[in-house]
Every structure is written in C-alpha cells, then in structure tokens.
Amino acid sequence: MFTGVVSYAQQDAQFTQYMYNTINVNPAYAGSRGALSIFGLHRTQWVGLDGAPVTNAFSINTPINETNVGVGLSFQNDRIGPTVENTISADVSYTVPTSETWKMSFGIKATANLFNLDSGRLNPQVAADPSLVSYDKFSPNIGAGIYFHSDKSYIGVSVPNFIETKQKFDDNATAIHTERMNYYLIAGHVFDLSPNIKFKPALMTKVVQGAPLQLDVSGNFLFSERFVLGAAYRMNAAVSAMAGFQISDGLFIGYGYDFDTTSLQHYNSGSHEIFLRYEIFQNFNKIISPRFF
C-alpha cells in the first residue's frame, strides 16, 4: 500500500528524439516543415527488463498546397507488460504569419484509442483470481496546441488529450488505467556557429497530475547539413546520446541511446531508439538545405 502512494509511472510514451517527432505531442506542427513528411520510429526501453515499454510510431503530415492549412495522420503502438495501447490520431493546423520571419500555428488533434489488457500475461499468486480478466476498451479523445516558429526558433504549448478517460472493468468501479491530461512545452533555437556547423539546443517539459515534472534538454550539432551529433538529459531519469545522417535532401535517419541514472540502471542495459524520415518537397516550397527542426 505504501509503495503505491509514493511510486510514479509514465503515461504517454516518451521519446529521446522528441525534436523529430513533434507532431506526436503538438498538432499545430502539422505541415510546418513545408513538405510531405513521413516519419517512422521504433523504441525499445529498458532492454533486459521483463515487460518494459516497446513503442512503434508512424506519422505523415503535409501542408495543403499553398494554403495556410496543414494536416497529419499518426499511429502509435505502445506495449507495456500485459497491456497494449494502439492510438490513431488526425491533426489539422492553421498558420498565421505574424511578421516577415515568424508564424503562429494553431492545431487540433482527434484521437481514437484502443486499450487492451491481456490477463494471460500475468502471473498472479491466486491463479483463479476472478478480477484478473482480459479487457478491451475503445475511447475517443481530442487535443490542441499552439506552435510559434521561424526558420531559426520555435516554441509550442499543447495538451494532446483533454478527456481524462478511466479504463475499468464493466462490473468493477476501480479504474485499472486513467488517462490524465499531459501538458507539454517545447522550445528550440538554431545557432550558426560557422558556415558548416549549426547548434540547436532544445527542451521539452511535460506536466501531468500524479507524476513529477519531466524536463528533457538536448543539444545537437549539424555538420555540413549532413551529419548530426548530440546529447540529452532527462531530469532524474537518463542521459542520452544521439546521431543522425541526412542521406539525401529528403531522407534522414537517426539513432538514440539512453543510459538510466536511476536505480533501474542495475536491471537493464539502456534504451534504444531509431527513426527514419522521408520528405517530398513541392516546387513552391523547396528549400536549399534541410530544416533542422
């Protein structure tokens, strides 16, 4: 009982390379890169720890021709222990120029969520415990975000899910899973250190009821518009190393590794994350060099 009072757990899937997967937390990002952007990611967290999170994410977003509207579609599969959560989201954004260099984007997110608990993967002390049954639940949700950005800087605030859904058995008033509102703040800036080197510090802050403040800070160097090296720190949780390579103007691949700084480091060999992004630029928005965010 006392352990339950003081313990904490993550709700939304966490990503080390959040700066490349922004649409997952902020729908206003849809279409902001000025290209048809296709993104896929695989994350294996706490390798060696039985039942640790494994996440797969896929998204596609694009601006609508020469309008101020952007749209996106994303899918996420998150497996933790005996539970599997599949989420499909549709995003729509509208962008308003506020100056010659800055734009303000507003976005909304509509989500369909399927939560599954497989009791067959549990190992209860009482084998015939009637409360431990398999469970499937569908629930809709809606979220929103604001994204203020230029060619060099960005800042955004968002709430991906406004509805705090309680997942519980039909004949049991006790919730087995409660979806809390997650508040996100993201920010970053690109510094031109030389004609061939750019540096981008970035941060993501997440606030959710019942859990400590999560702060992720990172710094990435871009060399000759091709090669990326960086590091990140997740407050009271992990340190990370990141690398990426711009294979072509449209194709980018990246990898991240987390080393836990908590007592969990004695029970796992770290977390691995790999992603691939492919983009198709139209003639009216083709850029000379790849965007760094």
Side-chain angles (χ1 to χ4, degrees):
M1 178 181 68
F2 291 106
T3 301
V5 171
V6 300
S7 63
Y8 303 100
Q10 68 188 60
Q11 274 209 324
D12 290 356
Q14 65 183 20
F15 301 99
T16 298
Q17 298 167 113
Y18 54 86
M19 66 291 296
Y20 301 109
N21 194 30
T22 304
I23 197 171
N24 181 68
V25 299
N26 194 330
Y29 186 77
S32 66
R33 287 184 58 81
L36 172 64
S37 184
I38 303 169
F39 181 90
L41 177 145
H42 174 76
R43 177 179 175 85
T44 303
Q45 189 166 319
W46 301 329
V47 173
L49 187 64
D50 188 31
V54 176
T55 305
N56 294 288
F58 173 83
S59 66
I60 180 171
N61 74 92
T62 183
I64 301 299
N65 295 326
E66 298 185 54
T67 70
N68 293 331
V69 177
V71 295
L73 183 68
S74 58
F75 170 77
Q76 184 170 290
N77 170 265
D78 198 26
R79 291 178 284 144
I80 306 177
T83 67
V84 178
E85 192 169 9
N86 291 304
T87 303
I88 299 176
S89 300
D91 304 287
V92 179
S93 70
Y94 186 80
T95 300
V96 179
T98 57
S99 70
E100 292 185 1
T101 56
W102 286 89
K103 299 177 181 178
M104 178 75 79
S105 299
F106 304 88
I108 57 174
K109 178 186 290 287
T111 299
N113 179 276
L114 180 61
F115 178 86
N116 170 264
L117 169 64
D118 182 4
S119 62
R121 300 187 63 186
L122 298 173
N123 185 25
Q125 288 183 323
V126 180
D129 190 337
S131 65
L132 298 178
V133 297
S134 294
Y135 173 85
D136 288 283
K137 178 68 174 180
F138 169 80
S139 59
N141 219 311
I142 189 168
I146 300 174
Y147 185 64
F148 188 47
H149 58 102
S150 69
D151 289 339
K152 295 289 185 181
S153 307
Y154 67 90
I155 183 170
V157 292
S158 60
V159 180
N161 298 310
F162 282 124
I163 303 173
E164 296 190 334
T165 304
K166 290 186 177 181
Q167 313 285 12
K168 57 185 179 181
F169 299 117
D170 294 336
D171 58 349
N172 192 332
T174 302
I176 60 174
H177 172 75
T178 302
E179 181 70 30
R180 300 290 188 183
M181 291 177 62
N182 288 253
Y183 302 87
Y184 289 90
L185 168 67
I186 58 173
H189 180 77
V190 179
F191 295 93
D192 292 318
L193 302 183
S194 75
N196 295 317
I197 302 176
K198 295 180 180 180
F199 174 62
K200 185 189 70 174
L203 68 84
M204 182 178 72
T205 302
K206 180 169 69 173
V207 178
V208 58
Q209 181 183 354
L213 172 72
Q214 179 178 314
L215 175 63
D216 291 60
V217 293
S218 65
N220 280 290
F221 291 90
L222 175 63
F223 301 95
S224 301
E225 304 288 358
R226 289 292 180 185
F227 189 60
V228 177
L229 277 179
Y233 171 71
R234 183 174 300 117
M235 186 173 65
N236 300 323
V239 293
S240 309
M242 297 174 288
F245 184 66
Q246 191 77 42
I247 299 172
S248 66
D249 285 347
L251 187 61
F252 182 76
I253 187 170
Y255 170 78
Y257 174 80
D258 294 359
F259 176 80
D260 277 282
T261 58
T262 69
S263 57
L264 276 176
Q265 65 180 276
H266 303 296
Y267 306 98
N268 74 90
S269 58
S271 304
H272 301 270
E273 192 174 285
I274 187 169
F275 75 87
L276 187 68
R277 184 181 66 198
Y278 180 68
E279 295 181 312
I280 301 173
F281 296 93
Q282 303 296 327
N283 290 331
F284 67 85
N285 61 14
K286 185 169 178 63
I287 56 178
I288 297 175
S289 60
R291 277 272 299 278
F292 203 9
F293 59 86

